[in-house]
Amino acid sequence: MDVTRSYRTNFIVSKYTLMAVLLLVLGCQATKTDKENKEGLTGQNQELSSQPHADEVADSAIATPIYQQWHTVEIDFKGPRTSENATDNPFLNYRLNVEFKHAETSYTIRGFYAADGNASESSSDNGNIWRVRFTPDRLGDWSYSAKLYHKDSIAVASSVSGAEEVAISNATGGFKVIGSDKRGVDFRAHGRLVVSKGYYKFRNSNRYWVKVGANSPENLLGYVDFDNTYRIASSNKEGEASTTDKIHSYPTHLKDWKAGDPTWKDGKGKALIGAINYLADTGMNSVYFLTMNILGDGKDVWPYTKPDEFTRFDVSKLEQWEIVFRHMQSKGVLLHMVLQETENETLLDNGDTGVLRKLYLNELIARFGHHLALNWNLGEENGPADWSPLGQNNAQRKAMAKFIKESDPYQHPVLLHTHSHDPLRSEILDSIVGYTYLDGLSLQQDERKQTAEVIERWKNKSREAGHEWLITMDEIGKWFQGAVLDSEDPSHESLRKYVLWGTLLSGGAGVEWYFGAKHPHNDLNSEDWRQRDRLWKISNHARVFFEENLPYWNMRPEHGLVNLKDAYCFREKGQVYALFLPKTKEATINFLEEEGSYRIRWFDPLNGGELQKGSIDKIAGGAIRSLGHPPNTTGSPHDDWVCLLKKI
């Protein structure tokens, strides 16, 4: 065993081993920073060269590394030296498979080529390091066994049959997993998000999760501090935001970076890391971004060494993306990865899931699939349209979804971003509703007042088809407007009434806010999330209300129970009712079929705060009942209120 290699796979006896033993004896949990050990009880690179080999120390059986549940285990292997541009393509002609075993389960995880193992700092395009990332979900003892295969196009082959097995260092090993020391919003405190009952849920608990966040800028990763990132060409086309030759730098968020936050290459990345800090501090927990927009609107994001080279990946750029993604996860922010744009759906394999698309997807899954909160989105506005007639057809989008589901060992949600209106949208969705490999919709909707009806309709259709969809309202129109600045619309009244509460009280699993194309700080050029600070706060009020008061995963919309137009009712029959009332004067609820008594409390959707008492404390079933009046408004004035009825 070569103990001079990267710290990620040390098997040594040292002061850290002693610490591990003490932790096991005392039942304590390790508290280490990512910078120190990438989640393991190990030392820094420079410390390793002086540490003794395990064979040189007595009682080497105790030299088992310790990792934490839900933290990333990152293991490096020394293998053949190559480069991003080698004639023998390391991305296409090699395949690293690592099997992780536990007494109760096992995973086979794809690895990837990592150049010199430090490419985020060195920008190296060559080296002999091959890497795997794995997130253990169970406590106790794990073992691993790694194999590196070599054969023409082995990376996209259906099996490793006939491939040469290449020697690598530390091909086998083991480690112990203890409980996580993380708390709060950090996903490492809770585990992996999956789809359950049409909502997000942490797989290993009964806790559900509501999404609220930013849908813009869609080219978030078109950022000046990432290696080899630039705009191919500026654009000023009708139907999209205009661009110049400048890409994102997020200067106003530099002040939001905090001591101890990650950077790369002597301080790069601070502004984007700061932007994530700001958004998370407002209570937002999701960010939507493209991983490839070649031919699309921004033309500034791709994972490749060049925008016209689809079999070779930019290792240093992707490692820098990973730094940002890890920080997002630590701040409780879901990675909404949008895999393509409507203009480039047929760029790879003419839309099929062939060599180029499989390679692209395999690389993203191998490098980033270990993250706990992640969506794979099949593509923005997926399917042909008048302005982009070369879209994927139904067979192609189904094949892509199936490949992702069968290739992703963690089974992250797979969503489809829709067109904005019918019949264009429904023609596509009718052909895929009920499809096992698609978990739901990333909905685009142009008319705000129709949001609730559209969500309820597709929830019902998917349920009737036997595979209930998770539906999130991710792009509200019109395309040129979206969610405008606070300075233009301080209370965001139509977004609050029709989109935010209309979505959540109709069975939607969350919202993201699209910035439009023809307003300041738009979908492509926005540099400052603070321009919509009030919108984030309003959205967070709704998230907190849902998480603290409702078993929403067991509730269904029944808007007709309320006598007011544009009111919404979400209920678990006979238990709890959440009502959005656009006005409260003369509001009633049809309780003819209910029995018992229900306590009434009010929630302020604009200003937030605690539940409050109104003019009536409780009502009984068996009749159409008046809801009375809410308390006086404290803060900005408004007419709409949320009324909560819970059975006593």
Side-chain angles (χ1 to χ4, degrees):
M1 188 178 300
D2 183 355
V3 297
T4 63
R5 66 178 186 83
S6 171
Y7 58 79
R8 296 174 181 87
T9 52
N10 319 321
F11 291 97
I12 60 175
V13 173
S14 64
K15 60 185 178 182
Y16 297 96
T17 300
L18 178 59
M19 186 186 298
V21 174
L22 290 174
L23 285 169
L24 291 174
V25 172
L26 297 176
C28 297
Q29 294 183 341
T31 303
K32 301 288 288 178
T33 67
D34 287 347
K35 182 178 179 182
E36 287 172 318
N37 57 20
K38 299 290 187 183
E39 325 300 3
L41 292 178
T42 57
Q44 295 286 349
N45 278 347
Q46 59 268 29
E47 295 175 339
L48 293 175
S49 59
S50 62
Q51 298 295 341
H53 192 286
D55 294 341
E56 299 171 2
V57 183
D59 196 16
S60 62
I62 65 172
T64 302
I66 307 295
Y67 295 91
Q68 296 181 50
Q69 186 183 29
W70 305 122
H71 294 226
T72 299
V73 175
E74 191 169 82
I75 303 176
D76 283 356
F77 309 90
K78 286 185 177 178
R81 179 173 292 277
T82 183
S83 74
E84 294 173 355
N85 300 307
T87 302
D88 191 2
N89 189 326
F91 307 103
L92 186 60
N93 297 337
Y94 286 87
R95 177 168 169 174
L96 176 61
N97 285 351
V98 185
E99 185 176 20
F100 290 89
K101 287 186 176 181
H102 183 276
E104 298 174 355
T105 190
S106 66
Y107 289 87
T108 298
I109 306 295
R110 282 265 192 141
F112 55 91
Y113 177 57
D116 67 351
N118 191 36
S120 63
E121 297 293 330
S122 67
S123 295
S124 176
D125 64 359
N126 67 89
N128 68 337
I129 300 302
W130 303 77
R131 177 171 292 166
V132 70
R133 293 179 178 133
F134 171 61
T135 310
D137 55 357
R138 284 171 172 78
L139 304 177
D141 294 324
W142 287 82
S143 64
Y144 74 84
S145 176
K147 294 182 178 181
L148 181 64
Y149 298 97
H150 179 241
K151 183 183 177 182
D152 184 49
S153 299
I154 187 65
V156 295
S158 58
S159 75
V160 296
S161 176
E164 171 195 6
E165 187 174 335
V166 181
I168 55 175
S169 66
N170 53 280
T172 61
F175 52 89
K176 184 177 292 290
V177 172
I178 62 175
S180 174
D181 64 353
K182 300 302 179 183
R183 298 293 182 269
V185 298
D186 192 321
F187 288 113
R188 292 171 295 180
H190 308 288
R192 182 168 293 111
L193 282 179
V194 297
V195 177
S196 175
K197 297 183 178 180
Y199 285 96
Y200 292 101
K201 175 183 173 293
F202 289 101
R203 174 174 284 164
N204 287 39
S205 76
N206 293 320
R207 181 182 173 187
Y208 285 78
W209 184 89
V210 174
K211 184 185 82 165
V212 285
N215 184 265
S216 298
E218 66 177 23
N219 59 339
L220 179 83
L221 301 180
Y223 175 50
V224 66
D225 282 359
F226 290 135
D227 282 357
N228 303 318
T229 299
Y230 55 91
R231 176 158 288 125
I232 300 169
S234 60
S235 177
N236 190 26
K237 293 195 307 184
E238 176 63 24
E240 65 184 46
S242 299
T243 59
T244 67
D245 60 348
K246 293 183 179 180
I247 60 175
H248 290 300
S249 60
Y250 308 112
T252 63
H253 285 296
L254 186 60
K255 62 185 177 184
D256 297 311
W257 184 88
K258 301 172 185 176
D261 286 343
T263 63
W264 57 92
K265 298 182 74 170
D266 296 324
K268 285 190 174 185
K270 285 185 177 181
L272 179 51
I273 294 294
I276 299 301
N277 287 344
Y278 162 74
L279 198 69
D281 287 346
T282 69
M284 298 300 94
N285 58 20
S286 176
V287 172
Y288 173 111
F289 55 87
L290 290 157
T291 52
M292 182 179 68
N293 65 7
I294 302 166
L295 302 182
D297 297 347
K299 302 177 181 63
D300 52 6
V301 178
W302 55 87
Y304 305 114
T305 55
K306 299 176 182 177
D308 58 354
E309 173 52 82
F310 305 133
T311 66
R312 297 178 186 275
F313 295 83
D314 191 322
V315 174
S316 65
K317 179 195 291 188
L318 297 180
E319 289 299 287
Q320 291 160 1
W321 286 8
E322 170 67 8
I323 292 171
V324 175
F325 295 164
R326 288 200 187 194
H327 188 67
M328 291 168 71
Q329 297 281 279
S330 75
K331 302 296 289 185
V333 176
L334 176 142
L335 311 176
H336 190 164
M337 289 196 180
V338 186
L339 299 170
Q340 56 190 357
E341 204 166 356
T342 190
E343 293 90 349
N344 62 28
E345 289 174 35
T346 60
L347 179 65
L348 304 180
D349 307 311
N350 294 316
D352 291 337
T353 301
V355 170
L356 298 181
R357 190 174 302 274
K358 288 179 180 179
L359 189 62
Y360 171 62
L361 296 173
N362 279 338
E363 285 288 331
L364 293 181
I365 291 170
R367 293 174 188 274
F368 308 127
H370 64 98
H371 289 297
L372 298 166
L374 181 155
N375 285 341
W376 303 116
N377 191 321
L378 295 184
E380 189 172 77
E381 298 171 333
N382 190 264
D386 292 343
W387 65 91
S388 183
L390 298 178
Q392 285 180 301
N393 60 38
N394 187 53
Q396 290 173 327
R397 73 177 60 92
K398 283 183 174 180
M400 184 177 174
K402 184 174 186 288
F403 181 82
I404 294 172
K405 274 296 186 183
E406 292 181 342
S407 302
D408 178 7
Y410 302 109
Q411 295 295 285
H412 293 293
V414 175
L415 305 182
L416 174 69
H417 188 267
T418 73
H419 288 295
S420 64
H421 57 269
D422 296 325
L424 181 61
R425 177 175 56 203
S426 58
E427 288 173 355
I428 293 171
L429 299 188
D430 279 335
S431 65
I432 201 169
V433 66
Y435 187 56
T436 303
Y437 300 103
L438 184 68
D439 295 302
L441 301 180
S442 174
L443 185 67
Q444 182 183 184
Q445 170 61 31
D446 54 4
E447 296 293 345
R448 301 179 181 198
K449 291 185 178 182
Q450 297 174 6
T451 300
E453 183 274 326
V454 170
I455 289 176
E456 186 176 1
R457 172 157 46 93
W458 286 107
K459 288 286 287 187
N460 289 336
K461 280 193 172 188
S462 65
R463 196 179 294 119
E464 291 165 2
H467 183 58
E468 183 174 359
W469 274 343
L470 176 150
I471 302 179
T472 56
M473 179 60 250
D474 290 340
E475 185 171 340
I476 193 63
K478 298 285 181 104
W479 68 268
F480 52 84
Q481 182 176 22
V484 300
L485 307 182
D486 289 345
S487 60
E488 297 177 280
D489 185 9
S491 68
H492 298 283
E493 183 173 353
S494 66
L495 294 180
R496 184 176 79 248
K497 291 182 176 181
Y498 301 116
V499 185
L500 178 60
W501 287 95
T503 291
L504 296 178
L505 295 179
S506 298
V511 297
E512 289 175 350
W513 298 115
Y514 161 72
F515 293 174
K518 298 300 180 181
H519 284 254
H521 297 273
N522 63 43
D523 188 38
L524 292 181
N525 68 21
S526 179
E527 295 283 276
D528 185 4
W529 274 326
R530 270 193 179 81
Q531 298 295 325
R532 294 169 173 83
D533 186 77
R534 190 79 186 280
L535 181 58
W536 310 133
K537 288 181 170 62
I538 292 168
S539 303
N540 190 53
H541 296 332
R543 180 190 65 82
V544 171
F545 174 83
F546 262 67
E547 291 182 349
E548 292 185 353
N549 297 290
L550 301 180
Y552 51 86
W553 52 93
N554 290 327
M555 300 173 73
R556 298 281 178 87
E558 199 65 51
H559 304 320
L561 294 179
V562 184
N563 68 317
L564 301 177
K565 181 183 178 183
D566 296 331
Y568 308 114
C569 173
F570 199 45
R571 70 171 180 174
E572 182 181 15
K573 183 174 171 56
Q575 298 298 319
V576 59
Y577 294 73
L579 318 175
F580 179 88
L581 307 175
K583 59 182 180 179
T584 57
K585 186 178 181 180
E586 300 178 351
T588 65
I589 185 168
N590 185 340
F591 257 20
L592 289 168
E593 297 181 0
E594 301 305 327
E595 298 178 351
S597 295
Y598 292 78
R599 181 166 285 112
I600 299 180
R601 292 295 181 265
W602 296 86
F603 180 77
D604 186 334
L606 180 60
N607 301 298
E610 300 295 324
L611 296 177
Q612 304 176 61
K613 292 183 179 180
S615 62
I616 298 176
D617 185 62
K618 60 184 178 181
I619 58 174
I624 294 175
R625 301 294 186 186
S626 170
L627 297 169
H629 302 291
N632 293 328
T633 301
T634 301
S636 300
H638 58 96
D639 295 325
D640 53 314
W641 280 84
V642 175
C643 183
L644 178 66
L645 309 175
K646 282 193 173 182
K647 193 167 188 179
I648 301 172

